[in-house]
Amino acid sequence: METNYKRIFLLGLLILVLGGCTDLDEELFGRLSPDNYYRTEEEALSSVVGVYQSLSRVADVGDAWRISEFGTDEFFVPGRASGGWFDEYNMEIMRHEVTPQNSASARAWSWYIFPAIGRANAVIQSLEDSPNSDQLQTLIAETRALRAYAYFYAMDFWGNVPIFTEARVDPENLPTTNTRQEVFDFVVSEMEAAAEVMPSVNDVDRSSYYPRFTKEAVYAALATIYLNGEVYTGTPHWEDALANAERVINSGAFSLEERVQDCFLATNESNSPEIIVGFSIDPNRNAGANQFILYTQHALTKEKYDLPFTPANGYSTGPIALNRYEDRDERKAMIEHGPQYYSNGEPMLLANGEQLELIPIQDMTAAEDNEGFKVLKYSPEGVSWSGFNADNDFVLIRYSDMLLIKAECLFRLGNHGEALNLVNQVRERSNATLLSSLTLDDIEDERAREFLWEGHRRRDMIRFGSYFTDTFGIKTGVTEEWRGIYPIPAEQIVANPMLDQNPNYPNQ
């Protein structure tokens, strides 16, 4: 049975309002129960929608996305001399000096990642308890894959976290810490089991099934997880990452867009041949909101892009990211830098009559308003605005990632020739000069160019080692390897003394 996901989104949101909680000691579905509600797949899917909506927040501009970009060489949020934006906890992450008291990490745990896990647990139990559970096995598998994806983020950020799959927590039997290896094994086994049951993208109507996970979406997630397998477990998993990337590639269901930027248009979501995993966003129906332009752009771009609000001039990048691109590389156009102009070619003038010129950040704690380059990741073209909220869908995994994952795995396994061809396939799309030879540094740099601000950079830098050795922004020295995972937030250990703090971090 094929069901239009967006058609039932409002029904799903009604369920969330009725229950509206991620506290596992409360009822998720209000007065609705498995006995009187799950009569059809569509009714059951309306509850799974809530899990999608909760998981989608890993890709928005909130703390889960920010801690995947903070501490890298492509993302900075300077405090402004004019007031605002300074946050010592942000500075702490950028310096690689995160403590258990860090509020950004704590919010990522308690507002984003574990609420998605808790919601998935409750929905899975309700589906399994339904008298019609035999007809809901595919939806159960789908929800298990969503929960595993949320656990992947928990494992990536904090390493050693509790695996908990019940709908409620027993206060007399609180969850205990599992090792990163155990979480890795759980995530992989859950996703592999789900993929056995879920439909292929080739067996559904793609436009109506979007943005639900398909078999290929799970394979793409597994490729991503296995790619950092040595980081998570100490054992390389290049063959496993390669096999899953090839499953997606060999499906024949995906291809590169004409331009990278086309993947991020509000008008090209369910129809994009490149997006493997995305999250549906519609602020006009209270179904999520995309605020990248609000948080990123300079105030003067309100007129440039005909925005119904004044952007807040927060998120920035710098010369390291910019200088990775050659001038002919079309992806370079995503980074706004230097003298700024309106769409008609007229200079963008400040109140004092001078032209706005975006320059590198000079002072991370008291930057002037023109300091910091801007990334126009999600285009304002064709957006249906709801205040400062755009309706561009969030993009999580693209086909180009599968090509570059395959290239990296082949290179590490000794097949340099085919790896070079795959990297050049991605470069050719953006008019970048084709490479004549390939190194691991080339692969890392190509991933940085291709996936700027897509939440991959921290994982990539840790895998390649540059996270620890390179200096950038206010990170001025070598980072200890144990800082490759964040500390368990102190507030979580206070709430659950059964949790263990990560090595080398204090409990408080």
Side-chain angles (χ1 to χ4, degrees):
M1 173 183 178
E2 293 181 4
T3 305
N4 189 305
Y5 178 91
K6 288 192 174 184
R7 187 162 55 84
I8 63 166
F9 216 112
L10 289 179
L11 178 58
L13 291 175
L14 175 61
I15 302 299
L16 297 184
V17 170
L18 288 171
C21 65
T22 54
D23 183 338
L24 299 182
D25 291 326
E26 298 182 38
E27 290 289 343
L28 181 65
F29 303 115
R31 296 179 181 177
L32 300 177
S33 71
D35 289 338
N36 65 20
Y37 187 62
Y38 294 140
R39 295 164 298 182
T40 67
E41 181 182 355
E42 185 166 306
E43 289 179 345
L45 180 56
S46 67
S47 294
V48 180
V49 164
V51 183
Y52 275 100
Q53 187 187 41
S54 188
L55 184 60
S56 73
R57 301 191 68 205
V58 302
D60 73 14
V61 294
D63 289 292
W65 179 83
R66 283 192 289 215
I67 70 169
S68 73
E69 287 286 349
F70 269 139
T72 73
D73 58 7
E74 69 176 20
F75 181 75
F76 309 102
V77 181
R80 295 291 175 184
S82 56
W85 281 111
F86 180 84
D87 186 325
E88 178 55 33
Y89 292 118
N90 293 347
M91 301 293 167
E92 197 175 86
I93 304 177
M94 287 189 278
R95 290 194 303 264
H96 289 197
E97 296 176 354
V98 183
T99 67
Q101 289 76 31
N102 188 280
S103 62
S105 172
R107 289 192 298 267
W109 177 299
S110 62
W111 294 8
Y112 293 83
I113 305 304
F114 280 92
I117 292 168
R119 190 177 298 281
N121 285 343
V123 170
I124 290 168
Q125 180 169 312
S126 293
L127 293 172
E128 290 176 339
D129 289 347
S130 169
N132 301 315
S133 61
D134 288 346
Q135 287 75 48
L136 302 176
Q137 291 304 304
T138 302
L139 273 179
I140 292 171
E142 183 176 348
T143 313
R144 286 172 65 184
L146 294 171
R147 179 179 64 187
Y149 208 102
Y151 260 115
F152 159 57
Y153 275 89
M155 171 186 67
D156 184 69
F157 291 149
W158 301 287
N160 309 291
V161 297
I163 299 173
F164 187 80
T165 59
E166 302 298 322
R168 285 182 173 80
V169 175
D170 179 358
E172 303 301 320
N173 186 25
L174 294 173
T176 59
T177 299
N178 291 91
T179 67
R180 204 179 205 186
Q181 174 76 63
E182 290 171 335
V183 183
F184 176 87
D185 291 341
F186 171 78
V187 169
V188 167
S189 64
E190 286 287 287
M191 285 194 171
E192 288 180 342
E196 290 293 319
V197 179
M198 295 171 65
S200 167
V201 68
N202 291 316
D203 295 331
V204 298
D205 182 292
R206 189 163 173 175
S207 61
S208 64
Y209 203 81
Y210 171 87
R212 293 174 62 185
F213 276 27
T214 60
K215 193 183 297 287
E216 287 74 21
V218 179
Y219 293 150
L222 282 166
T224 301
I225 295 162
Y226 277 127
L227 188 64
N228 266 36
E230 187 172 13
V231 173
Y232 301 140
T233 70
T235 302
H237 286 270
W238 309 122
E239 294 90 347
D240 295 316
L242 174 62
N244 280 282
E246 286 184 328
R247 283 170 165 172
V248 180
I249 294 169
N250 295 340
S251 73
F254 304 98
S255 60
L256 297 176
E257 287 274 14
E258 184 176 345
R259 305 181 313 141
V260 172
Q261 293 91 324
D262 291 344
C263 298
F264 301 92
L265 295 170
T267 55
N268 193 25
E269 296 161 343
S270 61
N271 297 318
S272 173
E274 186 164 348
I275 298 174
I276 301 171
V277 180
F279 292 113
S280 184
I281 299 297
D282 190 348
N284 294 294
R285 295 186 176 184
N286 294 318
N290 188 320
Q291 298 178 349
F292 266 81
I293 290 181
L294 167 68
Y295 278 76
T296 300
Q297 295 297 301
H298 190 279
L300 285 186
T301 57
K302 176 181 181 180
E303 287 74 26
K304 180 177 182 178
Y305 299 122
D306 192 27
L307 304 174
F309 59 92
T310 301
N313 194 25
Y315 299 172
S316 304
T317 194
I320 293 177
L322 177 70
N323 293 336
R324 285 196 178 99
Y325 302 96
E326 54 187 328
D327 288 341
R328 62 180 287 175
D329 192 327
E330 295 175 357
R331 295 170 295 190
K332 190 173 186 177
M334 289 189 293
I335 301 182
E336 298 172 332
H337 62 285
Q340 296 298 293
Y341 299 87
Y342 290 111
S343 301
N344 62 5
E346 293 292 323
M348 298 172 65
L349 300 180
L350 299 166
N352 62 7
E354 295 181 359
Q355 183 176 9
L356 172 63
E357 180 176 2
L358 298 178
I359 65 173
I361 299 168
Q362 307 298 306
D363 186 337
M364 196 66 73
T365 61
E368 298 297 334
D369 287 345
N370 68 325
E371 293 180 24
F373 302 152
K374 300 302 177 184
V375 177
L376 191 67
K377 193 66 183 182
Y378 288 91
S379 171
E381 178 184 338
V383 166
S384 176
W385 294 99
S386 175
F388 46 66
N389 300 311
D391 63 344
N392 308 64
D393 284 3
F394 292 130
V395 176
L396 196 61
I397 305 179
R398 297 191 281 119
Y399 180 68
S400 61
D401 198 5
M402 296 301 101
L403 297 177
L404 291 181
I405 287 176
K406 180 177 180 179
E408 182 178 341
C409 293
L410 286 172
F411 186 92
R412 292 181 184 274
L413 294 169
N415 188 341
H416 295 186
E418 188 177 353
L420 175 63
N421 291 336
L422 289 163
V423 171
N424 277 336
Q425 184 178 336
V426 173
R427 290 178 62 79
E428 184 176 24
R429 185 258 295 269
S430 295
N431 197 40
T433 301
L434 300 187
L435 302 177
S436 58
S437 61
L438 193 65
T439 66
L440 278 177
D441 287 343
D442 292 329
I443 294 173
E444 181 182 4
D445 285 345
E446 196 59 37
R447 289 188 61 84
R449 295 182 194 101
E450 180 70 12
F451 305 119
L452 179 67
W453 282 22
E454 292 183 46
H456 298 310
R457 185 63 181 146
R458 176 179 170 275
R459 290 196 303 268
D460 289 347
M461 292 187 75
I462 289 173
R463 183 172 72 258
F464 285 99
S466 54
Y467 186 84
F468 308 103
T469 60
D470 289 4
T471 58
F472 38 84
I474 55 175
K475 179 187 180 293
T476 58
V478 173
T479 298
E480 304 94 332
E481 288 198 14
W482 53 268
R483 289 192 179 275
I485 55 175
Y486 293 126
I488 305 299
E491 64 184 39
Q492 296 301 324
I493 293 179
V494 170
N496 179 5
M498 301 301 294
L499 298 181
D500 298 325
Q501 183 54 271
N502 285 326
N504 297 298
Y505 289 108
N507 275 338
Q508 300 298 327

